Amino acid sequence: MKHLTHIRDLGPEGVETILAQAAAWKGKAPAPLFLGRILGMVFFNPSLRTRASFESVMLRGSGNAIVMDVGSGVWKLEDRPGAVMNEDRAEHIKEAAPVLSRFVDMLGVRTFSAGGDDEQDEVDPVISAFRRHVTVPLVSMESAREHPCQGLADMLTLRENFGSTKKLPVTLTWAPHIKPLPKAVPNSFLLTAAAAGCEVRVAHPPGFELHPQVRAEAEAYAKATGGSITYTHDQAEALAGSRAVYAKSWGPATRSAHTAGDVSALLASHADWMTTRKTLSRAAADALFLHCLPVRRNVEVADDVLDHPTSRVIDGAENRFHVQRSILSWLLSA
Ligand code: CP
């Protein structure tokens, strides 16, 4: 049985398979790929794009989707092995995952990082518990470590604009925010861009390093695909000659060592990392702008970037549909 919870489930070869199928189907009339099939979707956290795009994939493919919001209509779920369940979590994933597997043909789970502990994010406890206990294919709709559907959609967006991602200079630049955000999206952009052969530049202020295991995995993909990765604290240096700029906020690497006030002050101290047209003037003249959305306008990214013709944020969101159709079809294939 196949699962897609992390990019390592695909590797560079699998990334190519998903992207090629997504590109081949995009623009063609929807086929009844999921006739008689049901996707169960378990949300521990809110969503606009993920929920709507997965439901749309199933409905346009003649299938159905069941959406469950944990803690609101569905029991709060426990993931810890051996937990004494005497607090508010009424059901263990050990029962919930196999029970849901009896009702659906595939299961999707969204479970954000609990925050502040990158080592725990590496363990990815909730999606890992589902993975241990499901008896149908599992797809991540974003977990603590990764958001693979987002990374794959981003690569499709780059390919349809540039033809190829081989050695394409792209910058992942940190962005300011009002609160520390999880690292799943930057991790996934780095991993998929490396697996797609890009020349990736990662720019962030000191103290916002991505986890060493994520960086090592990305390095291995870059080595396999002829891509490359560089890290810098100098946004302008990273942007020089970049053909695409991906902005995303994420929390500091050692957040558990900070108080909430420290983190707010740290984020505020880097407000000048907001992406503006002036920032982008350092990139290639035809550089495109991407962001996973949702975006806080004029905090992370200025209006003049999001409203500029070079922004691909809406096309990028649409591509979630196309890669997820390809992913679900792949999960169901032998
Ligand atoms: N990019 C993304 O996953 O959007 P949602 O959080 O709205 O699903």
Side-chain angles (χ1 to χ4, degrees):
M1 195 194 339
K2 294 179 194 161
H3 301 302
L4 176 45
T5 58
H6 300 87
I7 285 298
R8 60 178 172 262
D9 290 321
L10 296 172
E13 202 177 316
V15 165
E16 293 305 320
T17 302
I18 298 297
L19 292 178
Q21 187 62 83
W25 280 337
K26 186 170 178 178
K28 295 204 171 72
L33 294 168
F34 306 112
L35 186 65
R37 305 287 200 161
I38 300 173
L39 171 68
M41 301 164 72
V42 178
F43 284 94
F44 286 76
N45 313 97
S47 162
L48 185 149
R49 278 143 292 276
T50 302
R51 178 174 174 159
S53 57
F54 268 110
E55 280 198 63
S56 180
V57 164
M58 291 307 293
L59 297 177
R60 289 190 192 279
S62 305
N64 272 291
I66 298 174
V67 178
M68 290 157 278
D69 293 309
V70 174
S72 158
V74 169
W75 304 114
K76 284 194 180 175
L77 297 177
E78 178 59 75
D79 60 281
R80 294 168 301 165
V84 177
M85 292 170 55
N86 58 1
E87 293 182 0
D88 61 340
R89 297 176 180 182
E91 177 150 19
H92 204 287
I93 290 170
K94 250 181 166 171
E95 282 80 43
V99 165
L100 290 173
S101 300
R102 300 280 176 102
F103 303 140
V104 302
D105 300 286
M106 301 170 278
L107 202 59
V109 173
R110 163 163 283 202
T111 168
F112 289 172
S113 167
D117 187 345
D118 288 3
E119 296 307 327
Q120 193 65 0
D121 291 352
E122 277 298 303
V123 175
D124 226 348
V126 178
I127 200 101
S128 300
F130 269 95
R131 194 165 166 138
R132 275 195 301 280
H133 299 297
V134 287
T135 58
V136 294
L138 176 68
V139 61
S140 167
M141 302 194 298
E142 182 171 346
S143 71
R145 189 186 201 248
E146 293 181 36
H147 193 354
C149 296
Q150 184 63 53
L152 288 160
D154 296 329
M155 289 311 110
L156 184 61
T157 307
L158 291 177
R159 286 201 178 169
E160 61 193 11
N161 280 283
F162 295 105
S164 166
T165 48
K166 294 291 172 204
K167 302 196 185 297
L168 183 72
V170 297
T171 292
L172 166 63
T173 180
W174 184 88
H177 205 277
I178 60 161
K179 60 184 180 187
L181 296 186
K183 299 184 179 70
V185 169
N187 287 348
S188 291
F189 185 82
L190 175 62
L191 291 165
T192 43
C198 294
E199 182 198 306
V200 194
R201 300 104 176 257
V202 183
H204 58 75
F208 288 82
E209 289 73 21
L210 298 174
H211 194 279
Q213 261 174 265
V214 174
R215 286 185 275 152
E217 185 181 329
E219 202 59 56
Y221 296 152
K223 199 170 169 197
T225 59
S228 62
I229 307 169
T230 53
Y231 298 90
T232 176
H233 297 152
D234 184 337
Q235 192 185 43
E237 176 192 303
L239 288 169
S242 276
R243 303 290 308 284
V245 179
Y246 196 94
K248 183 71 184 89
S249 190
W250 65 88
T254 54
R255 208 169 108 206
S256 52
H258 298 282
T259 65
D262 285 346
V263 174
S264 297
L266 185 62
L267 293 171
S269 72
H270 298 301
D272 58 340
W273 278 71
M274 179 172 74
T275 307
T276 64
R277 283 301 298 166
K278 190 171 168 215
T279 320
L280 292 184
S281 68
R282 295 163 185 138
D286 59 352
L288 298 180
F289 178 76
L290 290 81
H291 187 285
C292 66
L293 303 181
V295 63
R296 284 185 182 257
R297 282 176 172 257
N298 305 311
V299 174
E300 293 176 77
V301 183
D303 280 343
D304 62 4
V305 171
L306 290 163
D307 298 335
H308 196 269
T310 53
S311 170
R312 291 293 178 273
V313 298
I314 307 300
D315 291 347
E318 181 195 327
N319 281 336
R320 291 289 303 279
F321 174 97
H322 301 292
V323 296
Q324 287 159 201
R325 181 166 56 173
S326 176
I327 289 165
L328 295 185
S329 168
W330 174 80
L331 286 175
L332 289 173
S333 65

PDB file of all heavy atoms in Angstrom, residues 139-171:
ATOM      1  N   VAL A 139      -2.589  10.298   2.750  1.00  0.00           N
ATOM      2  CA  VAL A 139      -1.932  11.464   2.150  1.00  0.00           C
ATOM      3  C   VAL A 139      -1.875  12.574   3.196  1.00  0.00           C
ATOM      4  O   VAL A 139      -2.837  12.806   3.926  1.00  0.00           O
ATOM      5  CB  VAL A 139      -2.649  11.930   0.855  1.00  0.00           C
ATOM      6  CG1 VAL A 139      -4.086  12.345   1.102  1.00  0.00           C
ATOM      7  CG2 VAL A 139      -1.873  13.064   0.180  1.00  0.00           C
ATOM      8  N   SER A 140      -0.726  13.232   3.268  1.00  0.00           N
ATOM      9  CA  SER A 140      -0.578  14.374   4.172  1.00  0.00           C
ATOM     10  C   SER A 140      -1.214  15.606   3.544  1.00  0.00           C
ATOM     11  O   SER A 140      -0.940  15.944   2.388  1.00  0.00           O
ATOM     12  CB  SER A 140       0.902  14.660   4.429  1.00  0.00           C
ATOM     13  OG  SER A 140       1.034  15.926   5.057  1.00  0.00           O
ATOM     14  N   MET A 141      -2.034  16.269   4.327  1.00  0.00           N
ATOM     15  CA  MET A 141      -2.601  17.554   3.898  1.00  0.00           C
ATOM     16  C   MET A 141      -1.878  18.682   4.644  1.00  0.00           C
ATOM     17  O   MET A 141      -2.397  19.778   4.759  1.00  0.00           O
ATOM     18  CB  MET A 141      -4.108  17.575   4.184  1.00  0.00           C
ATOM     19  CG  MET A 141      -4.852  16.427   3.493  1.00  0.00           C
ATOM     20  SD  MET A 141      -6.647  16.614   3.451  1.00  0.00           S
ATOM     21  CE  MET A 141      -7.052  16.635   5.180  1.00  0.00           C
ATOM     22  N   GLU A 142      -0.691  18.421   5.111  1.00  0.00           N
ATOM     23  CA  GLU A 142       0.277  19.209   5.877  1.00  0.00           C
ATOM     24  C   GLU A 142       0.387  18.635   7.273  1.00  0.00           C
ATOM     25  O   GLU A 142      -0.597  18.535   8.004  1.00  0.00           O
ATOM     26  CB  GLU A 142      -0.032  20.705   5.981  1.00  0.00           C
ATOM     27  CG  GLU A 142       1.080  21.449   6.768  1.00  0.00           C
ATOM     28  CD  GLU A 142       0.979  22.966   6.757  1.00  0.00           C
ATOM     29  OE1 GLU A 142       0.226  23.544   5.943  1.00  0.00           O
ATOM     30  OE2 GLU A 142       1.686  23.590   7.589  1.00  0.00           O
ATOM     31  N   SER A 143       1.617  18.278   7.622  1.00  0.00           N
ATOM     32  CA  SER A 143       1.900  17.801   8.974  1.00  0.00           C
ATOM     33  C   SER A 143       3.002  18.667   9.560  1.00  0.00           C
ATOM     34  O   SER A 143       3.398  19.672   8.974  1.00  0.00           O
ATOM     35  CB  SER A 143       2.301  16.326   8.949  1.00  0.00           C
ATOM     36  OG  SER A 143       3.580  16.179   8.383  1.00  0.00           O
ATOM     37  N   ALA A 144       3.513  18.245  10.718  1.00  0.00           N
ATOM     38  CA  ALA A 144       4.509  19.072  11.412  1.00  0.00           C
ATOM     39  C   ALA A 144       5.757  19.287  10.563  1.00  0.00           C
ATOM     40  O   ALA A 144       6.305  20.383  10.514  1.00  0.00           O
ATOM     41  CB  ALA A 144       4.885  18.407  12.732  1.00  0.00           C
ATOM     42  N   ARG A 145       6.214  18.229   9.875  1.00  0.00           N
ATOM     43  CA  ARG A 145       7.476  18.360   9.132  1.00  0.00           C
ATOM     44  C   ARG A 145       7.305  18.885   7.722  1.00  0.00           C
ATOM     45  O   ARG A 145       8.135  19.638   7.224  1.00  0.00           O
ATOM     46  CB  ARG A 145       8.186  17.010   9.069  1.00  0.00           C
ATOM     47  CG  ARG A 145       9.605  17.111   8.506  1.00  0.00           C
ATOM     48  CD  ARG A 145      10.218  15.746   8.321  1.00  0.00           C
ATOM     49  NE  ARG A 145      11.670  15.771   8.251  1.00  0.00           N
ATOM     50  CZ  ARG A 145      12.363  15.484   7.160  1.00  0.00           C
ATOM     51  NH1 ARG A 145      11.748  15.198   6.021  1.00  0.00           N
ATOM     52  NH2 ARG A 145      13.683  15.496   7.181  1.00  0.00           N
ATOM     53  N   GLU A 146       6.248  18.457   7.044  1.00  0.00           N
ATOM     54  CA  GLU A 146       6.158  18.764   5.612  1.00  0.00           C
ATOM     55  C   GLU A 146       4.736  19.050   5.140  1.00  0.00           C
ATOM     56  O   GLU A 146       3.771  18.653   5.794  1.00  0.00           O
ATOM     57  CB  GLU A 146       6.702  17.572   4.798  1.00  0.00           C
ATOM     58  CG  GLU A 146       8.183  17.343   4.968  1.00  0.00           C
ATOM     59  CD  GLU A 146       8.695  16.184   4.142  1.00  0.00           C
ATOM     60  OE1 GLU A 146       8.192  15.985   3.005  1.00  0.00           O
ATOM     61  OE2 GLU A 146       9.586  15.469   4.628  1.00  0.00           O
ATOM     62  N   HIS A 147       4.681  19.682   3.977  1.00  0.00           N
ATOM     63  CA  HIS A 147       3.420  19.921   3.259  1.00  0.00           C
ATOM     64  C   HIS A 147       3.705  19.506   1.807  1.00  0.00           C
ATOM     65  O   HIS A 147       3.864  20.352   0.925  1.00  0.00           O
ATOM     66  CB  HIS A 147       3.062  21.402   3.367  1.00  0.00           C
ATOM     67  CG  HIS A 147       1.664  21.753   2.953  1.00  0.00           C
ATOM     68  ND1 HIS A 147       0.788  20.850   2.393  1.00  0.00           N
ATOM     69  CD2 HIS A 147       0.986  22.941   3.028  1.00  0.00           C
ATOM     70  CE1 HIS A 147      -0.351  21.459   2.131  1.00  0.00           C
ATOM     71  NE2 HIS A 147      -0.257  22.720   2.515  1.00  0.00           N
ATOM     72  N   PRO A 148       3.776  18.182   1.554  1.00  0.00           N
ATOM     73  CA  PRO A 148       4.256  17.729   0.245  1.00  0.00           C
ATOM     74  C   PRO A 148       3.377  18.157  -0.926  1.00  0.00           C
ATOM     75  O   PRO A 148       3.904  18.441  -2.016  1.00  0.00           O
ATOM     76  CB  PRO A 148       4.284  16.198   0.374  1.00  0.00           C
ATOM     77  CG  PRO A 148       3.467  15.856   1.570  1.00  0.00           C
ATOM     78  CD  PRO A 148       3.505  17.040   2.467  1.00  0.00           C
ATOM     79  N   CYS A 149       2.058  18.236  -0.721  1.00  0.00           N
ATOM     80  CA  CYS A 149       1.177  18.661  -1.829  1.00  0.00           C
ATOM     81  C   CYS A 149       1.507  20.094  -2.241  1.00  0.00           C
ATOM     82  O   CYS A 149       1.458  20.440  -3.428  1.00  0.00           O
ATOM     83  CB  CYS A 149      -0.290  18.564  -1.416  1.00  0.00           C
ATOM     84  SG  CYS A 149      -0.810  16.880  -1.066  1.00  0.00           S
ATOM     85  N   GLN A 150       1.847  20.934  -1.243  1.00  0.00           N
ATOM     86  CA  GLN A 150       2.201  22.323  -1.546  1.00  0.00           C
ATOM     87  C   GLN A 150       3.510  22.380  -2.333  1.00  0.00           C
ATOM     88  O   GLN A 150       3.626  23.083  -3.336  1.00  0.00           O
ATOM     89  CB  GLN A 150       2.323  23.129  -0.253  1.00  0.00           C
ATOM     90  CG  GLN A 150       2.582  24.597  -0.479  1.00  0.00           C
ATOM     91  CD  GLN A 150       1.443  25.282  -1.212  1.00  0.00           C
ATOM     92  OE1 GLN A 150       0.304  25.196  -0.802  1.00  0.00           O
ATOM     93  NE2 GLN A 150       1.750  25.954  -2.318  1.00  0.00           N
ATOM     94  N   GLY A 151       4.503  21.624  -1.877  1.00  0.00           N
ATOM     95  CA  GLY A 151       5.796  21.618  -2.575  1.00  0.00           C
ATOM     96  C   GLY A 151       5.652  21.159  -4.022  1.00  0.00           C
ATOM     97  O   GLY A 151       6.250  21.739  -4.941  1.00  0.00           O
ATOM     98  N   LEU A 152       4.836  20.136  -4.234  1.00  0.00           N
ATOM     99  CA  LEU A 152       4.644  19.620  -5.595  1.00  0.00           C
ATOM    100  C   LEU A 152       3.894  20.635  -6.454  1.00  0.00           C
ATOM    101  O   LEU A 152       4.240  20.844  -7.628  1.00  0.00           O
ATOM    102  CB  LEU A 152       3.900  18.285  -5.542  1.00  0.00           C
ATOM    103  CG  LEU A 152       4.762  17.133  -4.997  1.00  0.00           C
ATOM    104  CD1 LEU A 152       3.898  15.982  -4.496  1.00  0.00           C
ATOM    105  CD2 LEU A 152       5.747  16.644  -6.057  1.00  0.00           C
ATOM    106  N   ALA A 153       2.887  21.305  -5.878  1.00  0.00           N
ATOM    107  CA  ALA A 153       2.171  22.345  -6.629  1.00  0.00           C
ATOM    108  C   ALA A 153       3.121  23.484  -7.010  1.00  0.00           C
ATOM    109  O   ALA A 153       3.052  24.030  -8.121  1.00  0.00           O
ATOM    110  CB  ALA A 153       1.003  22.877  -5.802  1.00  0.00           C
ATOM    111  N   ASP A 154       4.032  23.819  -6.100  1.00  0.00           N
ATOM    112  CA  ASP A 154       4.993  24.891  -6.388  1.00  0.00           C
ATOM    113  C   ASP A 154       5.903  24.506  -7.559  1.00  0.00           C
ATOM    114  O   ASP A 154       6.209  25.329  -8.420  1.00  0.00           O
ATOM    115  CB  ASP A 154       5.835  25.206  -5.145  1.00  0.00           C
ATOM    116  CG  ASP A 154       4.983  25.745  -4.004  1.00  0.00           C
ATOM    117  OD1 ASP A 154       3.963  26.407  -4.289  1.00  0.00           O
ATOM    118  OD2 ASP A 154       5.324  25.490  -2.834  1.00  0.00           O
ATOM    119  N   MET A 155       6.306  23.241  -7.603  1.00  0.00           N
ATOM    120  CA  MET A 155       7.166  22.808  -8.717  1.00  0.00           C
ATOM    121  C   MET A 155       6.394  22.819 -10.033  1.00  0.00           C
ATOM    122  O   MET A 155       6.942  23.183 -11.079  1.00  0.00           O
ATOM    123  CB  MET A 155       7.737  21.408  -8.453  1.00  0.00           C
ATOM    124  CG  MET A 155       8.778  21.357  -7.370  1.00  0.00           C
ATOM    125  SD  MET A 155      10.085  22.617  -7.543  1.00  0.00           S
ATOM    126  CE  MET A 155       9.695  23.676  -6.159  1.00  0.00           C
ATOM    127  N   LEU A 156       5.112  22.437  -9.995  1.00  0.00           N
ATOM    128  CA  LEU A 156       4.302  22.491 -11.226  1.00  0.00           C
ATOM    129  C   LEU A 156       4.202  23.938 -11.715  1.00  0.00           C
ATOM    130  O   LEU A 156       4.317  24.213 -12.919  1.00  0.00           O
ATOM    131  CB  LEU A 156       2.911  21.897 -10.956  1.00  0.00           C
ATOM    132  CG  LEU A 156       1.982  21.806 -12.167  1.00  0.00           C
ATOM    133  CD1 LEU A 156       2.569  20.918 -13.270  1.00  0.00           C
ATOM    134  CD2 LEU A 156       0.602  21.268 -11.759  1.00  0.00           C
ATOM    135  N   THR A 157       4.023  24.866 -10.791  1.00  0.00           N
ATOM    136  CA  THR A 157       3.926  26.286 -11.156  1.00  0.00           C
ATOM    137  C   THR A 157       5.228  26.752 -11.811  1.00  0.00           C
ATOM    138  O   THR A 157       5.211  27.462 -12.830  1.00  0.00           O
ATOM    139  CB  THR A 157       3.619  27.136  -9.906  1.00  0.00           C
ATOM    140  OG1 THR A 157       2.471  26.592  -9.264  1.00  0.00           O
ATOM    141  CG2 THR A 157       3.365  28.587 -10.261  1.00  0.00           C
ATOM    142  N   LEU A 158       6.351  26.350 -11.236  1.00  0.00           N
ATOM    143  CA  LEU A 158       7.641  26.751 -11.830  1.00  0.00           C
ATOM    144  C   LEU A 158       7.797  26.134 -13.218  1.00  0.00           C
ATOM    145  O   LEU A 158       8.213  26.810 -14.166  1.00  0.00           O
ATOM    146  CB  LEU A 158       8.799  26.319 -10.928  1.00  0.00           C
ATOM    147  CG  LEU A 158       8.925  27.051  -9.583  1.00  0.00           C
ATOM    148  CD1 LEU A 158      10.079  26.477  -8.768  1.00  0.00           C
ATOM    149  CD2 LEU A 158       9.129  28.557  -9.798  1.00  0.00           C
ATOM    150  N   ARG A 159       7.447  24.857 -13.356  1.00  0.00           N
ATOM    151  CA  ARG A 159       7.651  24.194 -14.654  1.00  0.00           C
ATOM    152  C   ARG A 159       6.766  24.763 -15.737  1.00  0.00           C
ATOM    153  O   ARG A 159       7.188  24.882 -16.888  1.00  0.00           O
ATOM    154  CB  ARG A 159       7.400  22.696 -14.505  1.00  0.00           C
ATOM    155  CG  ARG A 159       8.550  22.069 -13.763  1.00  0.00           C
ATOM    156  CD  ARG A 159       8.651  20.615 -13.987  1.00  0.00           C
ATOM    157  NE  ARG A 159       9.819  20.154 -13.248  1.00  0.00           N
ATOM    158  CZ  ARG A 159      10.113  18.899 -13.040  1.00  0.00           C
ATOM    159  NH1 ARG A 159       9.334  17.953 -13.537  1.00  0.00           N
ATOM    160  NH2 ARG A 159      11.196  18.564 -12.376  1.00  0.00           N
ATOM    161  N   GLU A 160       5.524  25.122 -15.396  1.00  0.00           N
ATOM    162  CA  GLU A 160       4.671  25.621 -16.473  1.00  0.00           C
ATOM    163  C   GLU A 160       5.069  27.047 -16.887  1.00  0.00           C
ATOM    164  O   GLU A 160       4.725  27.482 -17.968  1.00  0.00           O
ATOM    165  CB  GLU A 160       3.177  25.503 -16.133  1.00  0.00           C
ATOM    166  CG  GLU A 160       2.740  26.270 -14.948  1.00  0.00           C
ATOM    167  CD  GLU A 160       1.341  25.868 -14.478  1.00  0.00           C
ATOM    168  OE1 GLU A 160       0.775  24.865 -14.937  1.00  0.00           O
ATOM    169  OE2 GLU A 160       0.824  26.593 -13.615  1.00  0.00           O
ATOM    170  N   ASN A 161       5.836  27.722 -16.049  1.00  0.00           N
ATOM    171  CA  ASN A 161       6.321  29.054 -16.409  1.00  0.00           C
ATOM    172  C   ASN A 161       7.698  29.044 -17.053  1.00  0.00           C
ATOM    173  O   ASN A 161       8.022  29.905 -17.858  1.00  0.00           O
ATOM    174  CB  ASN A 161       6.341  29.958 -15.177  1.00  0.00           C
ATOM    175  CG  ASN A 161       4.956  30.499 -14.851  1.00  0.00           C
ATOM    176  OD1 ASN A 161       4.489  31.424 -15.504  1.00  0.00           O
ATOM    177  ND2 ASN A 161       4.288  29.891 -13.888  1.00  0.00           N
ATOM    178  N   PHE A 162       8.522  28.085 -16.659  1.00  0.00           N
ATOM    179  CA  PHE A 162       9.920  28.087 -17.131  1.00  0.00           C
ATOM    180  C   PHE A 162      10.256  26.879 -18.012  1.00  0.00           C
ATOM    181  O   PHE A 162      11.377  26.791 -18.500  1.00  0.00           O
ATOM    182  CB  PHE A 162      10.874  28.131 -15.931  1.00  0.00           C
ATOM    183  CG  PHE A 162      10.766  29.407 -15.137  1.00  0.00           C
ATOM    184  CD1 PHE A 162      10.134  29.438 -13.903  1.00  0.00           C
ATOM    185  CD2 PHE A 162      11.272  30.599 -15.643  1.00  0.00           C
ATOM    186  CE1 PHE A 162      10.029  30.609 -13.176  1.00  0.00           C
ATOM    187  CE2 PHE A 162      11.170  31.785 -14.918  1.00  0.00           C
ATOM    188  CZ  PHE A 162      10.542  31.798 -13.686  1.00  0.00           C
ATOM    189  N   GLY A 163       9.319  25.955 -18.162  1.00  0.00           N
ATOM    190  CA  GLY A 163       9.585  24.781 -19.003  1.00  0.00           C
ATOM    191  C   GLY A 163      10.290  23.684 -18.238  1.00  0.00           C
ATOM    192  O   GLY A 163       9.877  22.541 -18.258  1.00  0.00           O
ATOM    193  N   SER A 164      11.368  24.056 -17.554  1.00  0.00           N
ATOM    194  CA  SER A 164      12.146  23.071 -16.802  1.00  0.00           C
ATOM    195  C   SER A 164      12.561  23.702 -15.474  1.00  0.00           C
ATOM    196  O   SER A 164      12.670  24.928 -15.366  1.00  0.00           O
ATOM    197  CB  SER A 164      13.392  22.695 -17.605  1.00  0.00           C
ATOM    198  OG  SER A 164      14.312  21.998 -16.782  1.00  0.00           O
ATOM    199  N   THR A 165      12.796  22.840 -14.478  1.00  0.00           N
ATOM    200  CA  THR A 165      13.324  23.357 -13.205  1.00  0.00           C
ATOM    201  C   THR A 165      14.796  22.980 -13.037  1.00  0.00           C
ATOM    202  O   THR A 165      15.383  23.299 -12.000  1.00  0.00           O
ATOM    203  CB  THR A 165      12.510  22.811 -12.008  1.00  0.00           C
ATOM    204  OG1 THR A 165      12.353  21.394 -12.156  1.00  0.00           O
ATOM    205  CG2 THR A 165      11.145  23.468 -11.916  1.00  0.00           C
ATOM    206  N   LYS A 166      15.375  22.332 -14.031  1.00  0.00           N
ATOM    207  CA  LYS A 166      16.777  21.925 -13.905  1.00  0.00           C
ATOM    208  C   LYS A 166      17.675  23.156 -13.819  1.00  0.00           C
ATOM    209  O   LYS A 166      17.674  24.000 -14.707  1.00  0.00           O
ATOM    210  CB  LYS A 166      17.208  21.064 -15.108  1.00  0.00           C
ATOM    211  CG  LYS A 166      16.493  19.718 -15.169  1.00  0.00           C
ATOM    212  CD  LYS A 166      16.914  18.781 -14.049  1.00  0.00           C
ATOM    213  CE  LYS A 166      16.049  17.526 -14.035  1.00  0.00           C
ATOM    214  NZ  LYS A 166      15.958  16.843 -12.754  1.00  0.00           N
ATOM    215  N   LYS A 167      18.377  23.273 -12.710  1.00  0.00           N
ATOM    216  CA  LYS A 167      19.306  24.369 -12.443  1.00  0.00           C
ATOM    217  C   LYS A 167      18.625  25.748 -12.479  1.00  0.00           C
ATOM    218  O   LYS A 167      19.279  26.779 -12.683  1.00  0.00           O
ATOM    219  CB  LYS A 167      20.515  24.329 -13.382  1.00  0.00           C
ATOM    220  CG  LYS A 167      21.297  23.010 -13.285  1.00  0.00           C
ATOM    221  CD  LYS A 167      22.661  23.113 -13.888  1.00  0.00           C
ATOM    222  CE  LYS A 167      23.393  21.763 -13.910  1.00  0.00           C
ATOM    223  NZ  LYS A 167      23.650  21.199 -12.579  1.00  0.00           N
ATOM    224  N   LEU A 168      17.308  25.769 -12.293  1.00  0.00           N
ATOM    225  CA  LEU A 168      16.581  27.046 -12.253  1.00  0.00           C
ATOM    226  C   LEU A 168      16.930  27.769 -10.947  1.00  0.00           C
ATOM    227  O   LEU A 168      16.722  27.224  -9.865  1.00  0.00           O
ATOM    228  CB  LEU A 168      15.079  26.773 -12.314  1.00  0.00           C
ATOM    229  CG  LEU A 168      14.168  28.007 -12.366  1.00  0.00           C
ATOM    230  CD1 LEU A 168      14.255  28.696 -13.728  1.00  0.00           C
ATOM    231  CD2 LEU A 168      12.712  27.617 -12.068  1.00  0.00           C
ATOM    232  N   PRO A 169      17.445  29.013 -11.028  1.00  0.00           N
ATOM    233  CA  PRO A 169      17.777  29.732  -9.782  1.00  0.00           C
ATOM    234  C   PRO A 169      16.506  30.240  -9.086  1.00  0.00           C
ATOM    235  O   PRO A 169      15.790  31.081  -9.633  1.00  0.00           O
ATOM    236  CB  PRO A 169      18.640  30.909 -10.259  1.00  0.00           C
ATOM    237  CG  PRO A 169      18.867  30.712 -11.722  1.00  0.00           C
ATOM    238  CD  PRO A 169      17.798  29.802 -12.226  1.00  0.00           C
ATOM    239  N   VAL A 170      16.219  29.679  -7.914  1.00  0.00           N
ATOM    240  CA  VAL A 170      15.028  30.080  -7.160  1.00  0.00           C
ATOM    241  C   VAL A 170      15.439  30.422  -5.730  1.00  0.00           C
ATOM    242  O   VAL A 170      16.306  29.765  -5.153  1.00  0.00           O
ATOM    243  CB  VAL A 170      13.953  28.973  -7.138  1.00  0.00           C
ATOM    244  CG1 VAL A 170      13.437  28.676  -8.534  1.00  0.00           C
ATOM    245  CG2 VAL A 170      14.453  27.697  -6.483  1.00  0.00           C
ATOM    246  N   THR A 171      14.804  31.453  -5.180  1.00  0.00           N
ATOM    247  CA  THR A 171      15.098  31.841  -3.794  1.00  0.00           C
ATOM    248  C   THR A 171      13.901  31.577  -2.894  1.00  0.00           C
ATOM    249  O   THR A 171      12.780  31.985  -3.216  1.00  0.00           O
ATOM    250  CB  THR A 171      15.466  33.336  -3.711  1.00  0.00           C
ATOM    251  OG1 THR A 171      16.714  33.545  -4.371  1.00  0.00           O
ATOM    252  CG2 THR A 171      15.609  33.794  -2.257  1.00  0.00           C
TER     253      THR A 171
END
